[in-house]
Amino acid sequence: MANLFSCEVFMATCMAYALGDLLLDWGRLGGCSKPLNIWLFVSYALMITSRLCCLVGVRSRPANPESFLMCARQPGRVPQVLFWLTWLVIVPAFAFWSLLGSFWLADVQA
Protein backbone atom coordinates (compact mmCIF):
# COMPACT_ATOMS: atom_id res chain seq x y z
CA MET A 1 0.00 0.00 0.00
CA ALA A 2 2.88 2.40 0.74
CA ASN A 3 4.28 1.74 -2.73
CA LEU A 4 0.93 2.66 -4.31
CA PHE A 5 0.80 5.85 -2.24
CA SER A 6 4.32 6.90 -3.27
CA CYS A 7 3.46 6.23 -6.92
CA GLU A 8 0.34 8.40 -6.64
CA VAL A 9 2.28 11.19 -4.95
CA PHE A 10 4.90 11.06 -7.69
CA MET A 11 2.27 11.17 -10.45
CA ALA A 12 0.41 14.03 -8.76
CA THR A 13 3.68 15.96 -8.43
CA CYS A 14 4.49 15.41 -12.11
CA MET A 15 1.02 16.55 -13.19
CA ALA A 16 1.19 19.61 -10.92
CA TYR A 17 4.56 20.54 -12.41
CA ALA A 18 3.30 20.04 -15.97
CA LEU A 19 0.17 22.12 -15.34
CA GLY A 20 2.19 24.85 -13.61
CA ASP A 21 4.63 24.96 -16.50
CA LEU A 22 1.74 25.15 -18.96
CA LEU A 23 0.13 28.03 -17.05
CA LEU A 24 3.44 29.92 -16.96
CA ASP A 25 3.83 29.53 -20.74
CA TRP A 26 0.13 30.06 -21.52
CA GLY A 27 0.60 33.41 -23.27
CA ARG A 28 3.57 32.26 -25.32
CA LEU A 29 1.75 29.13 -26.52
CA GLY A 30 -1.40 31.13 -27.24
CA GLY A 31 0.41 32.95 -30.05
CA CYS A 32 0.60 29.82 -32.22
CA SER A 33 -1.60 29.41 -35.28
CA LYS A 34 -3.20 26.41 -33.53
CA PRO A 35 -4.35 26.46 -29.88
CA LEU A 36 -1.59 24.23 -28.50
CA ASN A 37 -2.06 25.60 -24.99
CA ILE A 38 -5.68 24.43 -24.99
CA TRP A 39 -4.64 21.10 -26.50
CA LEU A 40 -2.12 20.54 -23.68
CA PHE A 41 -4.61 21.62 -21.01
CA VAL A 42 -7.30 19.23 -22.29
CA SER A 43 -4.72 16.43 -22.59
CA TYR A 44 -3.71 16.91 -18.96
CA ALA A 45 -7.36 17.07 -17.90
CA LEU A 46 -8.08 13.78 -19.69
CA MET A 47 -5.07 12.13 -18.04
CA ILE A 48 -6.13 13.32 -14.60
CA THR A 49 -9.72 12.21 -15.18
CA SER A 50 -8.56 8.81 -16.38
CA ARG A 51 -6.34 8.35 -13.35
CA LEU A 52 -9.09 9.42 -10.96
CA CYS A 53 -11.56 6.98 -12.55
CA CYS A 54 -9.04 4.20 -12.19
CA LEU A 55 -8.22 5.03 -8.57
CA VAL A 56 -11.86 5.31 -7.50
CA GLY A 57 -12.72 2.14 -9.44
CA VAL A 58 -9.91 0.18 -7.80
CA ARG A 59 -10.84 1.41 -4.33
CA SER A 60 -14.54 0.62 -4.84
CA ARG A 61 -13.74 -2.94 -5.87
CA PRO A 62 -12.33 -4.75 -2.82
CA ALA A 63 -11.94 -8.18 -4.47
CA ASN A 64 -9.19 -8.35 -7.10
CA PRO A 65 -8.71 -4.58 -7.62
CA GLU A 66 -5.71 -4.96 -9.95
CA SER A 67 -7.92 -6.19 -12.81
CA PHE A 68 -10.31 -3.21 -12.69
CA LEU A 69 -9.75 -1.96 -16.24
CA MET A 70 -9.51 -5.44 -17.75
CA CYS A 71 -12.80 -6.90 -16.50
CA ALA A 72 -16.13 -5.70 -17.93
CA ARG A 73 -18.07 -7.57 -15.24
CA GLN A 74 -17.78 -5.14 -12.38
CA PRO A 75 -19.47 -6.11 -9.09
CA GLY A 76 -21.03 -2.75 -8.22
CA ARG A 77 -22.63 0.24 -9.90
CA VAL A 78 -19.74 2.66 -9.29
CA PRO A 79 -17.05 0.39 -10.79
CA GLN A 80 -19.34 -0.38 -13.75
CA VAL A 81 -19.92 3.30 -14.52
CA LEU A 82 -16.21 4.13 -14.14
CA PHE A 83 -15.16 1.15 -16.28
CA TRP A 84 -17.47 2.12 -19.15
CA LEU A 85 -16.72 5.82 -18.77
CA THR A 86 -13.03 5.02 -19.11
CA TRP A 87 -13.31 2.72 -22.13
CA LEU A 88 -16.17 4.39 -24.03
CA VAL A 89 -15.50 8.07 -23.34
CA ILE A 90 -12.04 8.85 -21.97
CA VAL A 91 -9.90 6.49 -24.08
CA PRO A 92 -11.54 7.41 -27.43
CA ALA A 93 -11.51 11.11 -26.51
CA PHE A 94 -7.83 10.94 -25.59
CA ALA A 95 -6.99 9.06 -28.81
CA PHE A 96 -8.86 11.59 -30.94
CA TRP A 97 -7.41 14.55 -29.02
CA SER A 98 -3.86 13.18 -29.35
CA LEU A 99 -4.26 12.65 -33.08
CA LEU A 100 -5.69 16.15 -33.53
CA GLY A 101 -2.86 17.64 -31.48
CA SER A 102 -0.29 15.75 -33.53
CA PHE A 103 -1.66 17.29 -36.71
CA TRP A 104 -1.73 20.73 -35.08
CA LEU A 105 1.85 20.37 -33.91
CA ALA A 106 3.03 19.24 -37.35
CA ASP A 107 1.22 22.20 -38.91
CA VAL A 108 2.80 24.68 -36.49
CA GLN A 109 6.30 23.27 -37.03
CA ALA A 110 5.95 23.32 -40.83
Side-chain angles (χ1 to χ4, degrees):
M1 187 65 148
N3 190 20
L4 177 64
F5 178 73
S6 63
C7 179
E8 298 307 322
V9 169
F10 177 73
M11 288 185 68
T13 303
C14 290
M15 288 306 301
Y17 175 81
L19 283 171
D21 189 45
L22 173 63
L23 292 175
L24 288 174
D25 286 340
W26 189 266
R28 189 173 60 96
L29 290 172
C32 292
S33 61
K34 303 291 184 185
L36 293 178
N37 53 348
I38 295 171
W39 173 67
L40 280 171
F41 183 80
V42 172
S43 295
Y44 293 153
L46 285 169
M47 284 189 282
I48 291 168
T49 304
S50 171
R51 191 67 195 143
L52 287 175
C53 283
C54 187
L55 287 173
V56 172
V58 164
R59 295 194 197 293
S60 65
R61 183 184 169 157
N64 201 10
E66 58 273 353
S67 65
F68 169 69
L69 287 177
M70 302 310 285
C71 179
R73 296 171 146 187
Q74 299 296 328
R77 193 59 156 161
V78 171
Q80 284 177 358
V81 169
L82 293 172
F83 175 86
W84 292 113
L85 176 70
T86 299
W87 284 111
L88 296 179
V89 177
I90 296 172
V91 170
F94 191 72
F96 169 77
W97 196 248
S98 295
L99 188 63
L100 178 67
S102 297
F103 285 121
W104 285 355
L105 189 59
D107 186 48
V108 168
Q109 288 180 342

